[in-house]
Amino acid sequence: MNAAKDPATLLPASALDLRPLLLANMACTLSMMAFVALIGPIARQLGMATWQAGAAVTVAGVVWVLLARPWGRAADRFGRRRVLLLGSAGFTLAYWLMCLFIEGALRWLPGATLAFIGLTVARGCIGAFYAAIPVGCNALIADHVEPQRRARAMAALGAANAVGLVVGPALAALLARHSLSLPFHILSLLPASAFLVLLFSLKPQALPHRHVPRPVQLNDPRLRRPLQVAFCAMLSVTVSQIVVGFFALDRLHLGPAEAAQAAGIALTTVGVALILAQVLLRQLEWPPLKMIRLGATVSALGFACAALAITAPWLWACYFVAAAGMGFVFPAFSALAANAMHASEQGATAGAIGAAQGMGAVIGPLAGTLVYALDPSLPFLAVAALLLLVGLWPIPSAQRP
C-alpha cells in the first residue's frame, strides 16, 4: 500500500483549514484573468499586433509548464508552506511590476516592440510564481486529507478558481470604464492579501515523510492516466475559449460587438457551471475514475451539440453542459494522481499534473485556431471525440467496485 493511501501517514484533517488555500487560488486566478480580459484594448492603444498580444498571454502558460515540476520538487524538499509563501509573494511583486509598466506604457506610449517585451517579461514572471500555487495547495491537501475525500477538497479549490474565472473579467471590465490601468492597481491588492493570509494561517509543519523525496518521472505508469486526462481536459477548455468568439462571428453571423458579448456570456456560463458542479461534488464521495468517466462523457455531449449551434442561447447552453462535465473531471485527475503516489512524491506529483495542464493550455489555442480554419464546427467535434475517448477509457479490473 502506498504511503499516500495509508491514513496513518496523514496529518490530522482537522489541522487543515482550506479557506487560505481557496483565497490564494481565487485571488491569483482572478488577477490573471483580468489581464486576459483587457489585453485587447491595451494592445490596441499601444499599437501592438494581434500576435504580440496573444504571445504575451501565452508566455505565462509556457513558463507554468517549465516550472510546475521544479516547484513540486521544491515542495517535497522544503515544505508546502515555504513554496506557497514564496509563490504568492513572488506573484504579488511581479503583478505590481506589471501594474507600473502598464501605467507607464499607457501614459508615455513607448512603442509596440518595447511594450511587447515589457508585457511578455511581466507575464512570464507572473506565470513563474503562479505555478507554485496549485502545486503547493494540492500537495498540502494530499498531506492532510484521506484518499476518499481528496476529490471533494480539490473540488473546493476548483470552485475557487472558477470564481476567479467568472469575477475577474467582469470586474476588470467594470473598472476599465474609468481607466485601463485602474483594474490592475486595485486587483494587485488581492494576491498581497492572499500572501498575508497564508503567512499567518499556515503553521510550519514537518513533512509527512521522513525520507528523501522521490523524483517523479512523467512516464511513471502510475501517472499515465492522470497526466493524459489533465492534458486533454485543459486542451479542451482552452480550445473552446479561443474559438468561441470566432464561432459567434462566422457561424452565428453576429456583428463584432454582439459576438464579443455572446462570447463573454458563454465564458461566464462556463464559470457558473464549474462552480455549481464542484459545489455538487462536495456533497458526493465518488471515486475519481467514476467522476472522470461521467464528467468527460457529459462534456463531450456539450461540445458535440455546440458544433451544431445556430443561435447564441443554444451555444450558451452547450457551454454550460460542457463546463459542468469538466467540473467533475478537473478535481478527479488531481485526486487520482495523489492517491496513486507515495507521501514523499506528492509535491512532485502535483508539479507533474500542473505541467500537463500547462502543456494543454499552450497547445490548445494554437490547435484550436488551426483546426477552426478548416471548419468552424471542427474544433468542437474534435474536442468532443477526445473527451469521449477519455470517458470510455476502461477502468482497470483491480479498481472496479
Side-chain angles (χ1 to χ4, degrees):
M1 177 177 288
N2 289 346
K5 295 181 179 180
D6 184 359
T9 67
L10 300 172
L11 298 173
S14 60
L16 179 63
D17 184 358
L18 282 179
R19 290 174 296 180
L21 307 185
L22 301 183
L23 175 62
N25 274 268
M26 183 187 70
C28 294
T29 302
L30 193 154
S31 304
M32 293 269 285
M33 290 305 297
F35 179 87
V36 175
L38 296 178
I39 183 58
I42 290 174
R44 186 63 53 87
Q45 192 161 332
L46 296 177
M48 294 169 56
T50 302
W51 72 266
Q52 291 176 320
V57 172
T58 304
V59 69
V62 175
V63 177
W64 182 16
V65 172
L66 296 176
L67 294 185
R69 296 184 70 209
W71 277 120
R73 291 192 292 268
D76 281 336
R77 188 184 243 341
F78 303 111
R80 322 314 189 194
R81 182 177 184 269
R82 290 182 181 178
V83 164
L84 284 170
L85 291 178
L86 181 57
S88 57
F91 184 98
T92 300
L93 293 176
Y95 205 85
W96 285 351
L97 290 175
M98 186 183 71
C99 290
L100 294 176
F101 180 83
I102 291 176
E103 179 70 41
L106 291 174
R107 181 173 299 180
W108 293 299
L109 302 177
T113 300
L114 184 58
F116 168 64
I117 294 173
L119 288 177
T120 301
V121 171
R123 280 284 293 181
C125 293
I126 288 172
F129 288 104
Y130 176 81
I133 305 300
V135 167
C137 289
N138 285 333
L140 200 58
I141 288 175
D143 290 344
H144 288 74
V145 181
E146 59 271 22
Q148 63 269 26
R149 296 183 182 274
R150 281 178 187 154
R152 292 176 59 186
M154 290 174 178
L157 288 181
N161 278 324
V163 170
L165 290 172
V166 174
V167 176
L171 188 57
L174 181 64
L175 295 173
R177 296 178 182 177
H178 306 283
S179 165
L180 284 176
S181 60
L182 180 62
F184 298 105
H185 291 297
I186 293 179
L187 295 180
S188 67
L189 299 176
L190 291 178
S193 301
F195 166 74
L196 293 175
V197 170
L198 291 173
L199 178 64
F200 291 109
S201 61
L202 292 183
K203 305 303 180 185
Q205 291 178 332
L207 287 168
H209 51 84
R210 297 184 177 88
H211 46 276
V212 177
R214 303 182 184 186
V216 172
Q217 303 299 325
L218 292 179
N219 60 355
D220 191 315
R222 297 170 295 173
L223 286 179
R224 183 177 298 119
R225 185 189 291 258
L227 290 178
Q228 292 183 16
V229 173
F231 172 79
C232 293
M234 185 58 75
L235 183 141
S236 300
V237 168
T238 54
V239 166
S240 67
Q241 288 175 334
I242 199 70
V243 304
V244 62
F246 297 111
F247 190 86
L249 288 168
D250 301 330
R251 182 56 60 88
L252 305 185
H253 305 295
L254 300 177
E258 293 81 5
Q261 184 179 26
I265 294 175
L267 295 179
T268 300
T269 64
V270 168
V272 173
L274 286 173
I275 293 171
L276 294 177
Q278 294 176 2
V279 168
L280 175 61
L281 278 180
R282 296 277 292 164
Q283 311 304 318
L284 303 174
E285 293 190 3
W286 288 358
L289 285 176
K290 181 177 180 179
M291 291 163 54
I292 290 172
R293 298 197 77 178
L294 176 64
T297 303
V298 169
S299 191
L301 177 63
F303 283 125
C305 292
L308 307 175
I310 56 176
T311 65
W314 184 342
L315 183 66
W316 300 336
C318 294
Y319 265 63
F320 183 90
V321 172
M326 298 308 293
F328 279 66
V329 174
F330 272 86
F333 62 67
S334 295
L336 187 66
N339 293 351
M341 309 300 283
H342 291 274
S344 59
E345 299 169 315
Q346 291 300 325
T349 298
I353 289 293
Q357 289 182 263
M359 185 64 70
V362 171
I363 295 177
L366 177 61
T369 50
L370 290 176
V371 174
Y372 184 90
L374 302 177
D375 185 272
S377 298
L378 201 53
F380 294 118
L381 295 175
V383 164
L386 181 64
L387 291 174
L388 188 60
L389 290 175
V390 170
L392 296 179
W393 192 343
I395 297 178
S397 56
Q399 300 182 33
R400 291 174 186 168

